[in-house]
Amino acid sequence: QPRLAESGGDSVQSGGSLRLTCVVSGYFSMGKTSLGWFRQAPGKKREAIGCVDSTGRARYLDAVQGRFTISQDNNKKTLYLQMDSLRPEDTAMYYCAGIFSGDYCDEMMAGTRSGYWGQGTQVTVSS
């Protein structure tokens, strides 16, 4: 079954940048895929940050629009999250998730459909 592994989390100052990486393995289907980034801060619900599907179209949480950018390698086995202008409120555990059976970004963003998850990587932004 697919496995996802995040990396790149770190502690940075407010206004700084980080790039998170999610490597997907154990997945050999040539079908449609949906890959997304999520985060969960202590005491808060997990929220969807953004998602990209097989069309290449990306959607973003309003709070990160214009600051965060999702991209992926052509083979769709690596997903990136470029985070700029980081704020203390961006502090959270960041996860990547994938659905390998279709274009379900709208559902993933809404939290109505779930897929495979990584273990997470911690991002801490200090003021």
Side-chain angles (χ1 to χ4, degrees):
Q1 66 179 26
R3 294 179 296 277
L4 298 90
E6 306 92 337
S7 63
D10 205 345
S11 296
V12 297
Q13 295 275 338
S14 180
S17 297
L18 280 176
R19 188 174 83 155
L20 305 184
T21 299
C22 173
V23 177
V24 181
S25 60
Y27 160 60
F28 301 100
S29 171
M30 296 300 291
K32 296 179 179 179
T33 63
S34 306
L35 294 171
W37 287 99
F38 297 74
R39 67 186 180 187
Q40 186 167 19
K44 295 188 177 181
K45 291 184 178 180
R46 184 172 61 199
E47 62 181 356
I49 300 170
C51 184
V52 59
D53 61 23
S54 62
T55 69
R57 178 188 166 213
R59 304 105 159 117
Y60 295 95
L61 177 71
D62 286 347
V64 306
Q65 181 78 45
R67 298 189 298 122
F68 291 10
T69 305
I70 294 175
S71 61
Q72 58 184 336
D73 283 355
N74 288 335
N75 62 9
K76 300 181 181 178
K77 295 294 183 69
T78 306
L79 183 72
Y80 302 99
L81 178 66
Q82 177 66 40
M83 304 186 293
D84 299 316
S85 302
L86 283 161
R87 305 166 180 168
E89 54 264 39
D90 294 318
T91 295
M93 184 70 79
Y94 284 69
Y95 302 89
C96 64
I99 297 177
F100 303 93
S101 57
D103 290 332
Y104 293 110
C105 273
D106 289 338
E107 292 86 344
M108 290 179 76
M109 293 295 290
T112 57
R113 194 170 184 118
S114 185
Y116 295 90
W117 293 84
Q119 294 299 307
T121 186
Q122 178 68 37
V123 173
T124 302
V125 185
S126 57
S127 58

